[in-house]
């Protein structure tokens, strides 16, 4: 008996992309003719929704501004077996989608990342440098399994989508994708994809400094939430060293003269030492809480049927 073909959904979040969205929808209809294409308009003030509808996409709206809000709504609303997420600015290569879907199916992956490559006009040096720095930070803490942290072109399994908490409101959502996969030890892959220059009339919504700071803040929050013991342990060590550094001159003076000439300094150093132990205690307690949260997320992930349950064994399940 032949297994049924998986349901594929192409998800395109959009804000003021009238100049590009029609071509994006048309290109993905050619690349994945079996897929249903969903465009979610995020309060566009131009003709984005009309252009997407005219190109054959199913169009819905999300009023909360920000890509993360749109992703949360799409993941909640749309039912499919495989999800292709791509920006609506026509900078990503639609022809790479079949390769990414095939890799996901053949290897039973939960996420395939489209690692961008392109000229300077398409992939600006500031964005490229910032992406490398942020990708390196995530790799150092959570594991070096993704080369392009901020790619907006990804393919997900149903298990990933329906277990993803989607807490971010803006462009930080790409960071959440990666950390979610790494923390749960999901099987993931990466495919090189061409990154094109924007179509005339299409403007980038990403602010290098503002959004870079927001993404960095998100990484720090995720480190605190997912690695609380190292996070608070480092804070405890810094506080302890600062306290001991302040107390050292006081101790030397006392040993030499028998006097304590710097009582406020001694009190401050004692306070820093106490705070260091409190920080370490917080890390130990939160580490236990985090383990429970991770177990709950793992159970939610396993509650969604995998590829074998869907009747799509593929090469990873030889007969």
């Amino acid at each position: 008996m032949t297994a049924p073909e998986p349901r594929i959904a192409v998800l395109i979040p959009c804000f003021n992309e009238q100049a590009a969205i029609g071509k994006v929808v048309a290109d993905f209809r050619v690349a994945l003719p079996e897929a249903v294409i969903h465009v979610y308009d995020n309060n566009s003030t131009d003709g984005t929704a009309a252009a997407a509808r005219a190109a054959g996409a199913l169009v819905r709206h999300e009023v909360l501004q920000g890509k993360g809000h749109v992703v949360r709504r799409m993941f909640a609303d749309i039912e499919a077996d495989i999800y292709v997420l791509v920006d609506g600015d026509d900078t990503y290569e639609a022809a790479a989608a079949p390769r990414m879907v095939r890799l996901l199916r053949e290897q039973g992956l939960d996420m395939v990342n489209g690692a961008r490559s392109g000229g300077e006009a398409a992939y600006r040096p500031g964005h490229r440098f910032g992406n490398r720095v942020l990708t390196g930070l995530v790799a150092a803490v959570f594991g070096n399994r993704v080369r392009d942290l901020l790619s907006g072109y990804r393919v997900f399994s149903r298990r990933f989508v329906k277990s993803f908490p989607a807490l971010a409101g803006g462009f930080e959502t790409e960071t959440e994708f990666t950390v979610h996969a790494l923390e749960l030890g999901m099987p993931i892959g990466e495919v090189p994809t061409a990154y094109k220059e924007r179509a005339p009339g299409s403007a980038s919504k990403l602010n290098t400094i503002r959004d870079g700071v927001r993404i960095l803040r998100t990484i720090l929050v995720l480190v605190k939430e997912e690695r609380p013991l190292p996070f608070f342990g480092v804070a405890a060590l810094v506080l302890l060293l600062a306290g001991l550094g302040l107390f050292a001159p006081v101790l030397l003076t006392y040993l030499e003269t028998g006097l304590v000439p710097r009582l406020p300094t001694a009190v401050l150093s004692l306070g820093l030492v106490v705070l260091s132990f409190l920080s370490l205690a917080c890390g130990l307690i939160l580490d236990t809480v985090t383990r429970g949260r991770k177990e709950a997320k793992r159970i939610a992930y396993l509650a969604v049927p995998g590829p074998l349950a869907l009747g799509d064994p593929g090469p990873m399940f030889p007969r």
Side-chain angles (χ1 to χ4, degrees):
M1 180 178 177
T2 304
E5 287 297 311
R7 299 168 297 169
I8 301 176
V10 177
L11 315 182
I12 309 175
C14 270
F15 173 62
N16 287 346
E17 293 293 356
Q18 179 182 1
I21 188 60
K23 185 174 185 303
V24 175
V25 172
D27 288 349
F28 275 90
R29 290 184 69 185
V30 172
L32 296 171
E34 71 276 27
V36 179
I37 300 178
H38 302 264
V39 171
Y40 273 63
D41 179 59
N42 193 204
N43 303 315
S44 295
T45 56
D46 59 6
T48 295
R53 195 174 290 112
L58 298 177
V59 179
R60 294 178 181 174
H61 301 270
E62 172 54 51
V63 296
L64 293 176
Q65 193 66 42
K67 184 176 181 179
H69 294 301
V70 182
V71 167
R72 183 187 307 120
R73 178 74 179 276
M74 291 190 297
F75 281 9
D77 286 355
I78 297 170
E79 299 296 327
D81 301 314
I82 296 174
Y83 298 79
V84 180
L85 177 69
V86 66
D87 292 341
D89 54 11
D90 192 31
T91 55
Y92 291 98
E93 178 189 12
R99 300 200 312 271
M100 296 169 72
V101 170
R102 185 165 57 250
L103 180 64
L104 186 99
R105 293 187 63 187
E106 289 180 350
Q107 297 191 17
L109 306 180
D110 283 310
M111 182 180 78
V112 175
N113 191 45
R116 294 169 290 179
S117 61
E120 294 297 321
Y123 200 1
R124 289 180 287 176
H127 289 179
R128 192 190 302 268
F129 174 75
N131 190 17
R132 286 177 179 171
V133 171
L134 295 171
T135 299
L137 286 174
V138 169
V141 177
F142 298 103
N144 188 15
R145 298 172 61 199
V146 171
R147 292 185 294 111
D148 188 355
L149 173 71
L150 303 182
S151 174
Y153 193 11
R154 311 204 184 202
V155 177
F156 302 110
S157 69
R158 178 178 175 82
R159 269 185 166 176
F160 184 104
V161 166
K162 297 305 180 182
S163 67
F164 180 65
L167 301 177
F171 288 105
E172 318 94 273
T173 192
E174 282 100 357
T175 303
E176 281 195 333
F177 291 152
T178 301
V179 173
H180 180 63
L182 295 176
E183 277 300 276
L184 289 187
M186 294 182 183
I188 62 177
E190 203 162 46
V191 170
T193 60
Y195 191 60
K196 303 178 291 181
E197 190 173 358
R198 281 177 169 270
S202 174
S204 175
K205 316 305 183 297
L206 179 67
N207 182 286
T208 304
I209 303 299
R210 183 195 65 219
D211 290 303
V213 169
R214 289 181 63 180
I215 293 165
L216 179 59
R217 183 182 63 193
T218 298
I219 292 173
L220 293 175
V221 170
L222 288 170
V223 171
K224 175 179 70 69
E225 293 179 349
E226 303 296 341
R227 297 283 195 277
L229 186 53
F231 182 88
F232 286 98
V234 169
L237 180 61
V238 171
L239 289 168
L240 180 62
L241 293 176
L244 293 177
L246 286 174
F247 185 71
V250 177
L251 179 61
L252 290 175
T253 302
Y254 176 77
L255 292 175
E256 291 175 359
T257 67
L259 300 175
V260 183
R262 300 178 182 177
L263 185 59
T265 303
V267 172
L268 177 59
S269 66
L270 179 61
L272 291 174
V273 171
V274 171
L275 286 176
S276 74
F277 282 103
L278 287 175
S279 180
L280 182 60
C282 288
L284 291 169
I285 294 169
L286 290 175
D287 189 63
T288 302
V289 174
T290 298
R291 183 175 179 84
R293 287 177 52 247
K294 187 179 294 186
E295 290 172 352
K297 288 193 291 186
R298 182 71 181 176
I299 291 171
Y301 165 77
L302 293 174
V304 181
L308 184 59
L310 293 172
D312 180 28
M316 67 169 181
F317 296 116
R319 299 182 184 279

